Amino acid sequence: MTENELINILEGSGIRPTAVRLMIGRILDASDHPVSALEIEQTLDTVDRSTITRSLALFHDKGLLHLVEDGSGATKFELCDSTHEEEDSDRHLHFHCRKCGRTVCLHSVPVPSTPLPPGFLAESANFTVTGICDKCSKNP
């Protein structure tokens, strides 16, 4: 995504596009996998942790990020494909490798149906499969 597209997305969500927020947005956009706040902090070593954490919380509150709990103990983040909560286009599974720690998106795997008892209303779901990834299974 271009700088102008990122600025438009932030402004359209009511977020002032500061230099740090744009840097965080670029990192998230450039990543092909969910990233942790620590990974962002290591990339932006001149930006303090609290600024990164507040920016990620703001992005999430405005519907720009998915939170990924992959079992690693660190919440990871990825940009939403859409900014409309009612759309299902962003729902997908993740795979977390317990050997190398990598988490990947499984966009082509269908999301399983999860019927709930009467009166229950789902607000979010986390679909993560844990195991050994393709790269680690080739190198025992």
Side-chain angles (χ1 to χ4, degrees):
M1 127 180 26
T2 68
E3 186 84 2
N4 285 337
E5 289 172 325
L6 181 55
I7 289 170
N8 289 338
I9 288 170
L10 293 178
E11 289 178 341
S13 297
I15 299 173
R16 192 168 50 91
T18 64
V20 170
R21 291 173 182 163
L22 290 170
M23 287 188 289
I24 292 170
R26 282 193 294 272
I27 290 169
L28 291 165
D29 181 52
S31 180
D32 64 347
H33 62 279
V35 296
S36 68
L38 179 60
E39 290 174 282
I40 294 171
E41 183 182 345
Q42 290 170 339
T43 303
L44 302 176
D45 58 359
T46 60
V47 179
D48 66 283
R49 177 178 299 158
S50 63
T51 301
I52 293 168
T53 302
R54 283 193 311 271
S55 295
L56 290 170
L58 178 61
F59 287 9
H60 180 257
D61 288 345
K62 297 294 186 173
L64 299 179
L65 292 181
H66 288 298
L67 302 182
V68 179
E69 301 289 343
D70 62 8
S72 67
T75 300
K76 295 183 180 167
F77 306 89
E78 64 182 337
L79 287 177
C80 294
D81 292 332
S82 75
T83 57
H84 300 42
E85 289 181 24
E86 67 275 3
E87 290 186 19
D88 290 354
S89 63
D90 289 334
R91 283 205 256 171
H92 59 274
L93 280 75
H94 295 91
F95 184 91
H96 177 73
C97 179
R98 64 177 178 78
K99 189 170 181 181
C100 69
R102 184 172 64 127
T103 298
V104 296
C105 299
L106 303 175
H107 291 285
S108 62
V109 177
V111 175
S113 173
T114 310
L116 298 174
F120 285 69
L121 300 172
E123 292 182 345
S124 69
N126 187 22
F127 299 99
T128 303
V129 177
T130 302
I132 306 296
C133 71
D134 57 344
K135 292 178 183 170
C136 290
S137 66
K138 293 177 186 171
N139 300 315

